[in-house]
């Protein structure tokens, strides 16, 4: 590390062996928050570049949460992708996130990906003090992961200020593993299951908390008029991480629900009419009663059906199972060990 000349612009890098190069300046804090959010969900960053756009994705170990950030070219100060080239790679988030943990004194960041004889991800930081930093990280070329879901099948939709939902979630006991969200005709309800609370601290076992939000306190609320309501149970940790990010982005959050055992689809939308140079999408798995699963519903193709799933609460074998929502192409994503 040490002072040096200004980082070269991409136009002078034609001879360098980089498949992808981009520079982030005005959106650097947002980019750092995206990486921090991905780190709270999964352990690997899947980066894909094609057609002048970049996507950042991750999947948690239980295959119950999938998060994707889609970055358009105007998100970057500069963007160069080799003609007719595409890139799909995986890098360990614990190696990448610390580089962006403190960007208060950083004015620009260059990210360069070399693929071919040498595979490495290079991050260069230009500090306002004139200091230059360079980091080279190893990565693995992979097939991109994709979530299996259909937005058209979700007939219950709501849009809210993430602050409203976070304020409600703060009323639940610390360490709560799962929360149940119910979209009824008259109100949106959040509650926990006192029998499967998933808490390490047993003093809170049996404590039931329930909060209702009237449609007047939501930006939009459109429950399925043909249904009496829908209730879904899902992981609280990833849900709160996504809400916190959407709050920092000053966006609204949109949730789409179908039924228990089917995924929740989460996306963000800007408050202004000007739009944003990025989008956020997430898929959260929901649990379904094990008794309602027949042999034809065995998601992993193995027995017995009442074994604890990866998404099980901490308190022992649960009476619920979780649907497998994710796959990599061409082979399926990892199944239960």
């Amino acid at each position: 590390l040490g002072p040096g000349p200004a980082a070269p612009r991409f136009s002078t890098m034609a001879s360098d062996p980089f498949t992808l190069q981009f520079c982030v300046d005005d959106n650097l804090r947002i980019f750092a928050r995206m990486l921090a959010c991905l780190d709270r969900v999964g352990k690997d960053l899947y980066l894909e570049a094609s057609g002048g756009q970049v996507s950042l994705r991750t999947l948690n170990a239980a295959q119950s949460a999938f998060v994707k950030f889609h970055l358009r070219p105007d998100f970057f100060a500069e963007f160069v992708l080799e003609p007719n080239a595409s890139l799909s790679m995986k890098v360990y988030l614990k190696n990448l996130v610390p580089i962006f943990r403190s960007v208060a004194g950083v004015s620009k960041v260059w990210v360069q990906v070399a693929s071919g004889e040498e595979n490495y991800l290079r991050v260069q930081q230009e500090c306002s003090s004139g200091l230059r930093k360079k980091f080279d990280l190893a990565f693995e070329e992979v097939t991109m992961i994709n979530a299996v879901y259909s937005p058209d099948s979700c007939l219950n939709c709501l849009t809210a200020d993430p602050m409203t939902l976070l304020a409600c979630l703060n009323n639940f006991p610390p360490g709560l593993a799962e929360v149940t969200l119910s979209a009824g005709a008259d109100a949106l309800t959040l509650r926990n299951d006192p029998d499967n609370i998933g808490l390490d601290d047993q003093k809170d076992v049996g404590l039931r908390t329930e909060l209702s939000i009237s449609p007047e306190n939501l930006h939009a609320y459109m429950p399925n008029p043909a249904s009496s309501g829908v209730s879904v149970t899902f992981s609280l940790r990833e849900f709160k991480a996504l809400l916190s990010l959407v709050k920092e982005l000053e966006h609204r959050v949109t949730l789409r629900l179908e039924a228990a055992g089917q995924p929740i689809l989460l996306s963000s939308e800007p408050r202004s009419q000007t739009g944003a140079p990025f989008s956020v999408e997430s898929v959260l798995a929901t649990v379904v009663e094990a008794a309602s699963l027949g042999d034809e519903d065995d998601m992993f193709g193995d027995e017995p059906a009442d074994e604890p799933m990866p998404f099980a609460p901490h308190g022992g074998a649960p009476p619920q199972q979780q649907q497998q929502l994710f796959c990599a192409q061409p082979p399926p994503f990892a199944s239960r060990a």
Side-chain angles (χ1 to χ4, degrees), residues 182-326:
S182 299
D186 301 321
L188 180 73
T189 303
L190 291 162
R191 67 178 185 275
N192 67 282
D193 183 350
D195 296 324
N196 294 289
I197 198 167
L199 291 172
D200 296 326
D201 190 348
Q202 295 300 307
K203 69 181 179 63
D204 287 327
V205 172
L207 175 64
R208 179 185 178 91
T209 303
E210 182 171 321
L211 302 102
S212 295
I213 307 173
S214 64
E216 292 76 16
N217 293 319
L218 302 171
H219 183 70
Y221 188 63
M222 295 172 285
N224 182 5
S227 171
S228 58
V230 59
S231 295
V232 292
T233 301
F234 50 90
S235 170
L236 181 58
R237 171 185 166 84
E238 288 83 3
F239 187 54
K240 290 185 72 173
L242 289 162
L243 289 178
S244 297
L245 174 69
V246 175
K247 171 192 167 186
E248 292 175 353
L249 297 176
E250 298 183 348
H251 282 201
R252 298 188 184 98
V253 62
T254 296
L255 303 178
R256 292 177 173 83
L257 319 174
E258 181 180 358
Q262 299 302 317
I264 295 179
L265 310 184
L266 183 151
S267 60
S268 73
E269 63 177 44
R271 298 176 187 272
S272 65
Q273 299 297 323
T274 56
F278 61 88
S279 62
V280 184
E281 298 177 17
S282 179
V283 184
L284 300 179
T286 63
V287 296
V288 61
E289 294 293 333
S292 66
L293 291 176
D295 293 338
E296 68 277 5
D297 298 318
D298 184 11
M299 298 151 307
F300 298 94
D302 52 8
E303 299 276 348
D306 57 353
E307 285 186 4
M309 299 294 287
F311 190 57
H314 302 304
Q320 298 173 313
Q321 288 196 349
Q322 187 173 29
Q323 301 284 22
Q324 184 185 32
L325 303 175
F326 308 100

Side-chain angles (χ1 to χ4, degrees), residues 7-331:
R9 295 178 61 85
F10 293 153
S11 58
T12 66
M13 295 184 180
S15 61
D16 290 339
F18 296 115
T19 303
L20 170 69
Q21 306 179 82
F22 59 80
C23 175
V24 186
D25 51 10
D26 293 341
N27 292 317
L28 181 55
R29 291 181 181 273
I30 294 175
F31 189 74
R33 289 168 180 167
M34 289 177 178
L35 294 177
C37 177
L38 293 170
D39 187 44
R40 292 191 62 184
V41 175
K43 68 176 184 178
D44 295 311
L45 167 67
Y46 294 85
L47 186 151
E48 181 181 38
S50 62
Q53 304 186 64
V54 172
S55 69
L56 311 174
R57 316 182 193 197
T58 196
L59 174 70
N60 70 347
Q63 302 179 46
S64 61
F66 173 84
V67 182
K68 173 185 174 181
F69 297 102
H70 188 75
L71 312 180
R72 295 195 292 271
D74 53 340
F75 181 87
F76 307 101
E78 297 184 60
F79 183 91
V80 175
L81 179 65
E82 285 188 347
N84 303 318
S86 62
L87 179 71
S88 181
M89 53 169 280
K90 178 177 73 172
V91 64
Y92 193 46
L93 277 165
K94 293 299 183 186
N95 293 336
L96 183 62
V97 170
I99 300 174
F100 293 87
R101 185 159 291 153
S102 178
V103 294
V106 180
S107 56
K108 294 182 180 180
V109 169
W110 283 262
V111 176
Q112 301 161 298
V113 180
S115 59
E117 294 182 3
E118 289 186 273
N119 286 352
Y120 61 91
L121 170 71
R122 174 168 294 172
V123 180
Q124 296 188 69
Q125 295 181 342
E126 179 182 324
C127 302
S128 55
S129 63
L131 190 68
R132 289 265 311 281
K133 302 178 183 180
K134 183 174 74 173
F135 308 85
D136 286 347
L137 306 176
F139 71 84
E140 177 184 353
E141 291 189 280
V142 296
T143 301
M144 187 55 60
I145 59 172
N146 290 290
V148 181
Y149 64 93
S150 173
D152 295 337
S153 62
C154 299
L155 301 180
N156 301 274
C157 180
L158 65 99
T159 301
D161 188 325
M163 282 285 292
T164 302
L165 298 178
L166 285 170
C168 292
L169 295 176
N170 288 336
N171 290 277
F172 290 98
L176 183 67
E178 299 171 357
V179 68
T180 298
L181 185 149
S182 299
D186 301 321
L188 180 73
T189 303
L190 291 162
R191 67 178 185 275
N192 67 282
D193 183 350
D195 296 324
N196 294 289
I197 198 167
L199 291 172
D200 296 326
D201 190 348
Q202 295 300 307
K203 69 181 179 63
D204 287 327
V205 172
L207 175 64
R208 179 185 178 91
T209 303
E210 182 171 321
L211 302 102
S212 295
I213 307 173
S214 64
E216 292 76 16
N217 293 319
L218 302 171
H219 183 70
Y221 188 63
M222 295 172 285
N224 182 5
S227 171
S228 58
V230 59
S231 295
V232 292
T233 301
F234 50 90
S235 170
L236 181 58
R237 171 185 166 84
E238 288 83 3
F239 187 54
K240 290 185 72 173
L242 289 162
L243 289 178
S244 297
L245 174 69
V246 175
K247 171 192 167 186
E248 292 175 353
L249 297 176
E250 298 183 348
H251 282 201
R252 298 188 184 98
V253 62
T254 296
L255 303 178
R256 292 177 173 83
L257 319 174
E258 181 180 358
Q262 299 302 317
I264 295 179
L265 310 184
L266 183 151
S267 60
S268 73
E269 63 177 44
R271 298 176 187 272
S272 65
Q273 299 297 323
T274 56
F278 61 88
S279 62
V280 184
E281 298 177 17
S282 179
V283 184
L284 300 179
T286 63
V287 296
V288 61
E289 294 293 333
S292 66
L293 291 176
D295 293 338
E296 68 277 5
D297 298 318
D298 184 11
M299 298 151 307
F300 298 94
D302 52 8
E303 299 276 348
D306 57 353
E307 285 186 4
M309 299 294 287
F311 190 57
H314 302 304
Q320 298 173 313
Q321 288 196 349
Q322 187 173 29
Q323 301 284 22
Q324 184 185 32
L325 303 175
F326 308 100
C327 69
Q329 298 174 345

